[in-house]
Amino acid sequence: MAASCLGRGVVRLLGGLRGVGARGLAAPRLWGSASAPAAPAGSYQERIALAASEPAAFWGPLARDVLVWDTPYHTVSDCDFRSGRIGWFLGGQLNVSVNCLDQHVRKSPESVALIWEQDEPGTEVRITYRELLETTCRLANTLKRHGVHRGDRVAIYMSVSPLAVAAMLACARIGAIHTVVFAGFSAGSLAARINDVLQPHGPDFCQHPEQPESRFSPEPPAKCKVVITFNQGLRGGRVVELKEIVDEAVKLCPTVQHVLVAHRTDNKVHMGDLDIPLEQEMAKEEPVCAPESMGSEDTLFLLYTSGSTGTPKGLVHTQAGYLLYAALTHRFVFDYRPGDVFGCVADIGWITGHSYVVYGPLCNGATSVLFESTPVYPDAGRYWEMVQRLKINQFYGSPTAFRLLLKFEDSWVKKYDRSSLRTLGSVGEPINHEAWEWLHRVVGDSRCTLVDTWWQTETGGICISPRPSEEGAEILPCMAMRPLFGIVPVLMDEKGNVLKGGDVSGALCLSQAWPGMARTIFGDHQRFMDAYFKAYPGYYFTGDGAYRTEDGYYQITGRMDDVINISGHRLGTAEIEDAMADHPAVPETAVIGYPHDIKGEAAFAFIVLKDDAGDADVVVKELRSVVASKIAKYAVPDQVLVVKRLPKTRSGKVMRRLLRKIVTGRAQDLGDITTMEDPTVITEILSAYQEYKDKSGAAQ
Ligand code: PRX
């Protein structure tokens, strides 16, 4: 099938549209324009100091000038980490899709918003701001006709494509809340995100006094009514059965009323009672849709991410602060200039895709690349051939991909012209020296600015990065280095004391609110407080450790909790353990992360079998497939070791740190094991591990 398919439905639809001209545009707005100055005047140091000491004086004028508003805000910020109240630009009203589309269509409708680099090598589709606005409006009208109202949730389970971006923006246009689910997640994970249990918010739930109609309303919001998907996806030349996965998921989701199915391939899929052909419905709609005027603190989207305990949390990002932060960090960090082609190769299912494929670049009127494929399809030159063909100016990717690519000959890079590149960015996990050097020297010809950017789903945008900085300031390898404007990092020792000075390591906290940060966890504000504000009262705890140099630069040292990072994908080890726990032959498991050459980290599972479990190899195989079907393929442990017992404290807690030491070859130095119930377990596990290594050439 689809080798030559160009995402027919979408492309046909885009090609067949008449221009709407000024008729389709939202009325001119009060305040603001994206071509306004990017930051208040002053040197870098002065701006950093102002953002830290007087956040309102720093962010207020930026919000006024950069965003377009329906109603000006009256209060720049009202934030208190002790109570978990976070509000920015209160009283203001705006529409995010107007900021990302209408304002640019008014000025230059034919400038290119998206370049869709399709899976099929060498095929690209360009979509102008006018086309994207029209598609967004048709999709927004389709959603409305199918009963989606302001405040409703819409799940988007789609591969990277213009239609997926239009789906996000269509939700924003009508005030619906989108939750994009990475199209590599299983049916079970998708269903869990659609169904996320809503607790009616109790009286103590933080209701922002200035925006009573916002997400903090005591009325529980509606459950997810609509899922948007493709018939199939394409990735690395392979077909992904997206619709089949959605079919399985919605069997478990009683609130879903419609599944809107677009076509990425020409193949027919079974259409059931819930299913509606999306392009056909969109063709019936007007390419014009009046935008809802949203409060600054109304919810824009939910994005689920893993923590060290419990099910994934739906982080809530709101309208104005998030958009402003995504747009400004996009300009500051990457040195984005009008006319540039910005290439972030992240999937839209992750926060990087939200902030630096969709919202930041589009708010800035940029041309943003949508990358549907993989770094090695059809060969290891894929990224660089694309850079040459699309003349990409900024390239933003993950250390996992860089580590994979550097194993191939440099000629895969060098045969393509990369002279358009100015900035190279890395995100999602620590970048090791080899990968940093390769990116800098081979890809960037030692002339591009390389930014290792640290941030999280929770932070909404980049928080620590070598740029912005004073003109030409040094960049040290493998270091995120400098906090962005308004980010005030603090390192804590184990007792919760703030560490002063340089050459210190501690728990990385941020002491001051910034506009892009998540506001709560959907339906569970207490969990938000417990996860981020309990460990160090008055501070946001990131979950990461960091080292500060004598010069005040930051280097991230990794997670301090039971979260692991597999190929830049964040996972709680408890999630993998929970997935395996249902197996009747496996009473106990413990999962840890261990260093992996390409993936950064991989999962290692220790499992205990019942006496009558039967063939251990069969059980291990079953466990692997359970994890793939309950979470996702990337979550499947690379190593599974059967042990008789797990190391535990006297109170019954599994001592994962000991397992980590065994797997990373540090068993000689187990540290304090006085709380251990039975130290002979260690000898048992060590000999099982040795045998396993001898047999399989395992990790380490
Ligand atoms: O541990 C840090 C790691 O990724 C975590 C955030 O994951 P997620 O919410 O999925 O967002 C990833 C994309 C922003 C962080 O807590 N991380 C992210 N960037 C870096 C990093 N670790 C080291 N260096 C980075 N540049």
Side-chain angles (χ1 to χ4, degrees):
M1 51 128 288
S4 64
C5 169
L6 293 177
R8 299 197 188 292
V10 190
V11 173
R12 256 200 311 264
L13 193 64
L14 289 168
L17 294 175
R18 280 169 296 115
V20 293
R23 182 168 71 95
L25 298 178
R29 304 280 150 160
L30 288 167
W31 282 9
S33 129
S35 54
S43 71
Y44 166 75
Q45 285 303 347
E46 283 163 358
R47 283 183 280 163
I48 280 279
L50 179 68
S53 62
E54 284 182 75
F58 180 82
W59 292 111
L62 281 174
R64 190 192 59 213
D65 295 342
V66 171
L67 301 181
V68 285
W69 297 83
D70 299 333
T71 309
Y73 59 80
H74 52 65
T75 303
V76 175
S77 83
D78 179 14
C79 303
D80 174 16
F81 279 177
R82 288 191 185 269
S83 66
R85 192 180 69 244
I86 302 154
W88 286 87
F89 313 118
L90 302 174
Q93 290 197 298
L94 78 175
N95 184 281
V96 165
S97 78
V98 168
N99 274 273
C100 291
L101 300 172
D102 303 57
Q103 66 154 331
H104 310 306
V105 173
R106 185 166 296 112
K107 288 181 213 140
S108 61
E110 300 311 317
S111 69
V112 175
L114 303 173
I115 306 179
W116 184 20
E117 171 74 9
Q118 296 184 293
D119 192 52
E120 300 90 337
T123 58
E124 79 217 33
V125 179
R126 284 164 200 266
I127 288 107
T128 66
Y129 273 94
R130 177 185 59 79
E131 290 168 332
L132 187 58
L133 173 62
E134 292 170 1
T135 308
T136 298
C137 287
R138 286 179 193 267
L139 218 162
N141 289 331
T142 307
L143 288 172
K144 283 207 283 196
R145 189 151 50 82
H146 289 90
V148 177
H149 304 292
R150 182 181 172 126
D152 286 343
R153 282 194 297 147
V154 173
I156 299 174
Y157 188 72
M158 301 173 94
S159 39
V160 176
S161 56
L163 205 55
V165 175
M168 294 164 77
L169 293 169
C171 290
R173 193 141 191 108
I174 64 173
I177 299 167
H178 63 70
T179 178
V180 182
V181 180
F182 171 57
F185 274 122
S186 66
S189 293
L190 172 61
R193 282 156 177 76
I194 293 173
N195 282 336
D196 186 23
V197 182
L198 297 174
Q199 307 298 333
H201 305 151
D204 62 333
F205 189 75
C206 175
Q207 182 172 355
H208 208 288
E210 293 296 342
Q211 303 236 322
E213 79 290 3
S214 72
R215 75 195 183 285
F216 293 125
S217 158
E219 290 295 317
K223 283 199 175 189
C224 192
K225 284 183 178 165
V226 166
V227 182
I228 311 179
T229 192
F230 278 119
N231 62 336
Q232 296 177 315
L234 285 178
R235 203 142 187 272
R238 290 218 294 270
V239 171
V240 187
E241 298 292 350
L242 295 179
K243 169 67 165 51
E244 275 180 19
I245 296 171
V246 172
D247 285 347
E248 278 228 354
V250 296
K251 280 187 208 148
L252 308 168
C253 303
T255 59
V256 172
Q257 292 163 6
H258 303 292
V259 177
L260 303 179
V261 186
H263 282 80
R264 172 62 184 89
T265 68
D266 284 341
N267 296 338
K268 287 214 159 28
V269 291
H270 168 75
M271 295 290 277
D273 291 346
L274 297 178
D275 304 331
I276 293 170
L278 180 58
E279 291 98 334
Q280 276 176 35
E281 292 298 300
M282 283 170 66
K284 294 180 196 161
E285 296 294 341
E286 283 286 301
V288 175
C289 172
E292 280 282 318
S293 205
M294 306 301 290
S296 293
E297 284 300 330
D298 285 333
T299 301
L300 175 62
F301 66 84
L302 307 178
L303 193 57
Y304 285 80
T305 192
S306 299
S308 47
T309 54
T311 51
K313 340 177 234 212
L315 287 157
V316 171
H317 281 285
T318 57
Q319 316 261 337
Y322 168 78
L323 186 65
L324 178 71
Y325 198 74
L328 289 178
T329 48
H330 172 245
R331 284 192 210 176
F332 294 152
V333 172
F334 298 100
D335 180 31
Y336 165 75
R337 299 175 201 163
D340 283 350
V341 176
F342 185 77
C344 169
V345 290
D347 193 286
I348 49 151
W350 310 112
I351 191 70
T352 310
H354 282 59
S355 301
Y356 300 111
V357 174
V358 182
Y359 288 114
L362 295 183
C363 187
N364 287 332
T367 298
S368 182
V369 173
L370 300 174
F371 183 68
E372 189 185 28
S373 195
T374 77
V376 287
Y377 179 70
D379 55 47
R382 178 69 193 249
Y383 280 166
W384 323 118
E385 187 277 328
M386 174 178 78
V387 165
Q388 170 181 287
R389 185 167 29 87
L390 306 184
K391 299 197 170 36
I392 290 174
N393 302 107
Q394 293 91 359
F395 185 90
Y396 195 28
S398 72
T400 292
F402 303 141
R403 281 192 295 266
L404 178 68
L405 293 176
L406 68 79
K407 304 240 179 265
F408 296 82
E409 298 276 307
D410 287 356
S411 58
W412 284 109
V413 182
K414 294 196 163 160
K415 67 177 165 176
Y416 298 108
D417 176 9
R418 288 152 287 113
S419 57
S420 57
L421 288 172
R422 283 204 319 274
T423 309
L424 299 169
S426 166
V427 62
E429 40 175 328
I431 180 163
N432 52 319
H433 273 271
E434 199 188 3
W436 196 98
E437 286 297 336
W438 177 82
L439 195 59
H440 180 59
R441 196 175 43 76
V442 180
V443 177
D445 281 331
S446 305
R447 60 168 186 84
C448 293
T449 304
L450 201 170
V451 287
D452 173 15
T453 62
W454 175 87
W455 59 296
Q456 310 177 296
T457 307
E458 292 86 341
T459 68
I462 296 165
C463 288
I464 308 184
S465 159
R467 293 286 186 268
S469 67
E470 264 150 9
E471 186 78 26
E474 65 177 344
I475 292 183
L476 301 174
C478 310
M479 267 207 201
M481 294 184 77
R482 301 179 173 92
L484 259 86
F485 302 122
I487 300 297
V488 185
V490 165
L491 298 182
M492 298 283 185
D493 72 11
E494 280 164 8
K495 296 190 182 112
N497 302 312
V498 174
L499 293 164
K500 302 267 186 231
D503 194 19
V504 286
S505 294
L508 176 65
C509 296
L510 304 176
S511 69
Q512 190 172 290
W514 63 101
M517 69 184 297
R519 304 301 198 249
T520 189
I521 290 174
F522 191 56
D524 199 346
H525 196 63
Q526 190 54 50
R527 190 172 174 205
F528 183 66
M529 294 305 297
D530 292 347
Y532 304 108
F533 299 99
K534 199 164 142 186
Y536 305 99
Y539 296 87
Y540 166 81
F541 175 44
T542 63
D544 283 318
Y547 167 73
R548 186 170 51 224
T549 67
E550 296 284 8
D551 295 322
Y553 298 142
Y554 289 86
Q555 180 166 39
I556 309 303
T557 49
R559 296 291 305 192
M560 299 182 76
D561 51 14
D562 288 321
V563 169
I564 56 177
N565 199 324
I566 303 178
S567 306
H569 302 331
R570 181 169 153 181
L571 259 179
T573 50
E575 277 175 77
I576 307 176
E577 290 169 9
D578 287 351
M580 296 193 294
D582 289 345
H583 195 293
V586 185
E588 274 192 307
T589 65
V591 173
I592 55 156
Y594 71 95
H596 186 282
D597 247 15
I598 304 280
K599 303 183 195 183
E601 264 186 306
F604 196 125
F606 292 81
I607 63 168
V608 177
L609 295 184
K610 281 189 180 157
D611 290 344
D612 58 356
D615 185 342
D617 289 344
V618 173
V619 176
V620 168
K621 229 171 146 187
E622 285 167 356
L623 285 176
R624 288 200 151 110
S625 93
V626 162
V627 175
S629 69
K630 284 202 171 170
I631 308 176
K633 280 198 191 118
Y634 71 80
V636 174
D638 281 37
Q639 313 288 343
V640 182
L641 174 60
V642 179
V643 292
K644 292 200 193 92
R645 295 177 294 167
L646 294 173
K648 289 188 182 165
T649 62
R650 267 178 238 112
S651 57
K653 266 187 97 177
V654 176
M655 299 175 85
R656 288 184 187 75
R657 89 183 152 80
L658 301 184
L659 297 174
R660 229 171 276 132
K661 290 218 163 171
I662 290 173
V663 166
T664 51
R666 293 175 297 152
Q668 308 313 322
D669 165 33
L670 289 179
D672 180 10
I673 53 166
T674 50
T675 55
M676 205 171 165
E677 189 192 21
D678 178 359
T680 63
V681 176
I682 291 293
T683 329
E684 245 172 59
I685 296 178
L686 270 172
S687 81
Y689 180 60
Q690 192 54 50
E691 205 177 303
Y692 174 77
K693 259 182 19 171
D694 294 345
K695 219 167 86 189
S696 61
Q700 291 293 321

